[in-house]
Amino acid sequence: MDIIDNFIAPACEDVVQVLYQDETILLINKPSGLLSLSGKNPLNLDSVHFRLLHGQPGVSPAFAEAKLPHRLDFGTSGIMLVALTQQATAQLNKQFQDGSVQKRYTAMLEGWVSADEGLITAPIAKNKSQFPLVKICHSSGKAASSQFKVLDRLNEPKRSLVQFTPLSGRTHQLRIHSLSIGHPILGCDLYHSATSQQLAKRLLLHASDIYFQHPLTGEPYHGQCVSPF
């Protein structure tokens, strides 16, 4: 726990952007470099949830009942779903728990991924000797699957713009799966090659799409937030 408690998040100057709002939900764009929930350390009070509860002056009002049925990692940007009522919270929690919510991500990977699309199925386990990292482990790991599709291959340096669709929800899944195929996500401080972390100022992982059932109407809903890279 010392690693988590000792982490002090740098100040995040970017705002949480409200993409959609109705009486039961919000869709927001989380900036990279902001915690989803406030940390135990009082210096890590700033977070998506804290800003939603207290408002952002000149940007968005306070949403006193806001709850987060899911989170994004500190370095990940992109779309998040927020519940504004108790009923919406219960409905969305159930959808996330039963795996009916689908998410898509955009990532920039080091090097050229040779296959145009594919499925990564490496099982993931906690790395107890290097907390909070996870590791690929075929003996004790939990099943994890990530679909990928190469959107573009770029030069100078060679890198691949990839769309990921995770079919499971393991901790750090897309980051460790990218490393496992030899193409770590640029800017990642936990799972990297000798050069990949230095090739970007932030983690180049963005939650671009979310598909769920609207908690009030029951209708399928697709939220989208275009990647900044």
Side-chain angles (χ1 to χ4, degrees), residues 38-221:
S38 302
K40 293 181 179 179
N41 190 314
L43 294 176
N44 288 332
L45 191 62
D46 190 24
S47 68
V48 170
H49 190 236
F50 182 86
R51 293 188 185 189
L52 290 173
L53 289 182
H54 298 277
Q56 300 174 107
V59 177
S60 62
F63 299 96
E65 301 300 321
K67 297 288 192 299
L68 302 184
H70 70 123
R71 307 176 196 178
L72 290 177
D73 287 345
F74 174 74
T76 306
S77 60
I79 198 159
M80 290 183 70
L81 179 55
V82 180
L84 296 180
T85 68
Q86 286 186 342
Q87 286 185 326
T89 300
Q91 286 268 359
L92 294 172
N93 282 343
K94 184 176 184 299
Q95 290 183 50
F96 277 97
Q97 288 165 7
D98 65 24
S100 61
V101 178
Q102 186 183 62
K103 292 175 279 186
R104 286 206 179 111
Y105 294 79
T106 303
M108 190 71 77
L109 309 190
E110 185 178 41
W112 283 357
V113 179
S114 56
D116 290 336
E117 57 185 40
L119 181 68
I120 307 169
T121 57
I124 296 172
K126 292 180 180 180
N127 190 340
K128 295 180 180 179
S129 65
Q130 291 184 288
F131 180 84
L133 274 67
V134 299
K135 61 183 179 180
I136 302 299
C137 184
H138 292 273
S139 59
S140 64
K142 294 182 178 180
S145 299
S146 304
Q147 289 180 340
F148 70 87
K149 178 180 180 181
V150 176
L151 303 176
D152 201 2
R153 293 181 178 89
L154 305 166
N155 283 297
E156 297 180 4
K158 285 188 175 181
R159 58 204 191 279
S160 301
L161 185 66
V162 171
Q163 180 188 80
F164 276 116
T165 304
L167 305 181
S168 49
R170 307 301 177 201
T171 299
H172 300 169
Q173 177 173 316
L174 297 180
R175 294 200 264 174
I176 190 70
H177 272 180
S178 297
L179 181 66
S180 76
I181 62 169
H183 299 282
I185 299 174
L186 298 190
C188 184
D189 61 339
L190 297 179
Y191 309 94
H192 53 81
S193 68
T195 54
S196 61
Q197 183 181 353
Q198 292 74 36
L199 291 175
K201 294 182 179 179
R202 53 154 289 191
L203 174 68
L204 293 188
L205 179 62
H206 179 82
S208 58
D209 298 82
I210 190 166
Y211 299 83
F212 61 98
Q213 190 179 67
H214 194 287
L216 183 63
T217 66
E219 294 295 316
Y221 200 96

Side-chain angles (χ1 to χ4, degrees), residues 14-36:
D14 296 324
V15 302
V16 175
Q17 180 187 7
V18 177
L19 304 173
Y20 171 82
Q21 177 184 349
D22 62 31
E23 62 267 37
T24 57
I25 65 168
L26 299 175
L27 290 171
I28 61 170
N29 180 13
K30 172 195 171 298
S32 175
L34 183 65
L35 295 165
S36 290

